[in-house]
Amino acid sequence: MSQQPTDHTAQSKKPNDQIISYYTLRILIGATGILLPLLVVIGKWISNGTPALEFSISDYYDNGAGGDILVGVLFVLGFFLLSYKGPEKIDNRAADVGCVAALGVALFPTTYCNGCWVYYMHFIFALTLFSVFIFFSLVLFRKTDPKRQMTPEKKNRNKIYLVCGIIMIGCIAAIAFSLIVLKQAISEKYSLVYWFESIALASFGFSWITKSEYLFLKDH
């Protein structure tokens, strides 16, 4: 007769199952950010028959399937963040703020009106969202349990988080520079905001995938 597992055994398995799900959720959050710039271009191509880049990712809102994908991915990202439970309360609070910001970016489009309150709310939510991404990369992901010795893999992961956070800050600064300093014709011609946003999202996604420790740099 097989012996039934004790309560202690069942409880010891439960945290491991949760850790695996968190790893998967981190990969999904990261992949969502990386794929968003490509998916909106594909969506516009399907609807309008042209892959020509817009001024920014937000400008895909009114481009048929591109806009549907943009809103859908932002909602998915928001609820992924809402579902995320980190090792400390501050991780959960930051993820909740990111969820609200992602939904705000989707619900307050820049294409609704130029210069009205909806237009400015979009930028507030977008800046908040990227600030949350940067906070995760530079602060939360780089935390280390003081009771444990930092492994070589953890040191390498921390370097990746640092680089990703710096790249995101640089991209936000570059976006501000292109909007404030450069002539609009130049920014529009080369879709500078789109590219800087894409690089920032790729950095955000890569940091979250690295945090999953599922694909590489897993502690031995």
Side-chain angles (χ1 to χ4, degrees):
M1 182 181 295
S2 62
Q3 185 177 3
Q4 294 296 326
T6 63
D7 291 341
H8 176 74
T9 304
Q11 290 175 359
S12 65
K13 288 182 178 180
K14 187 175 180 181
N16 290 333
D17 293 339
Q18 291 177 339
I19 289 172
I20 293 174
S21 66
Y22 295 161
Y23 285 168
T24 303
L25 189 57
R26 287 165 181 162
I27 292 176
L28 292 174
I29 291 173
T32 300
I34 292 173
L35 293 175
L36 176 58
L38 177 61
L39 292 177
V40 294
V41 173
I42 294 175
K44 177 186 176 181
W45 196 352
I46 294 173
S47 296
N48 301 343
T50 174
L53 298 180
E54 293 290 332
F55 177 71
S56 69
I57 294 177
S58 299
D59 287 338
Y60 282 89
Y61 191 88
D62 289 332
N63 279 274
D68 296 336
I69 291 172
L70 174 62
V71 174
V73 169
L74 285 171
F75 266 80
V76 168
L77 175 60
F79 286 113
F80 279 163
L81 289 169
L82 182 64
S83 303
Y84 180 76
K85 302 300 178 184
E88 298 179 6
K89 288 185 178 180
I90 191 171
D91 297 74
N92 305 336
R93 301 277 175 81
D96 291 344
V97 172
C99 168
V100 174
L103 298 182
V105 172
L107 296 175
F108 294 84
T110 57
T111 56
Y112 179 78
C113 59
N114 187 10
C116 68
W117 68 273
V118 174
Y119 180 86
Y120 291 112
M121 286 298 297
H122 176 89
F123 287 104
I124 292 173
F125 281 121
L127 182 59
T128 301
L129 184 59
F130 275 112
S131 297
V132 169
F133 294 160
I134 293 169
F135 182 62
F136 267 104
S137 290
L138 294 184
V139 180
L140 299 182
F141 286 170
R142 299 176 69 229
K143 282 186 175 182
T144 305
D145 187 348
K147 298 180 182 179
R148 299 176 58 186
Q149 184 177 2
M150 188 182 299
T151 64
E153 292 80 13
K154 171 61 174 173
K155 292 179 180 179
N156 289 330
R157 291 197 303 271
N158 280 357
K159 292 178 182 178
I160 292 176
Y161 305 143
L162 178 61
V163 171
C164 289
I166 292 174
I167 290 175
M168 283 187 277
I169 293 174
C171 287
I172 292 176
I175 291 173
F177 180 83
S178 64
L179 292 175
I180 299 173
V181 179
L182 293 181
K183 293 181 179 179
Q184 184 174 356
I186 296 176
S187 297
E188 291 179 352
K189 180 180 179 180
Y190 298 104
S191 301
L192 294 181
V193 175
Y194 169 87
W195 285 115
F196 290 137
E197 288 176 336
S198 299
I199 295 171
L201 286 171
S203 299
F204 143 70
F206 192 68
S207 68
W208 277 77
I209 292 176
T210 302
K211 182 62 178 177
S212 73
E213 301 178 37
Y214 191 77
L215 301 179
F216 50 88
L217 293 179
K218 184 177 181 180
D219 287 333
H220 297 299

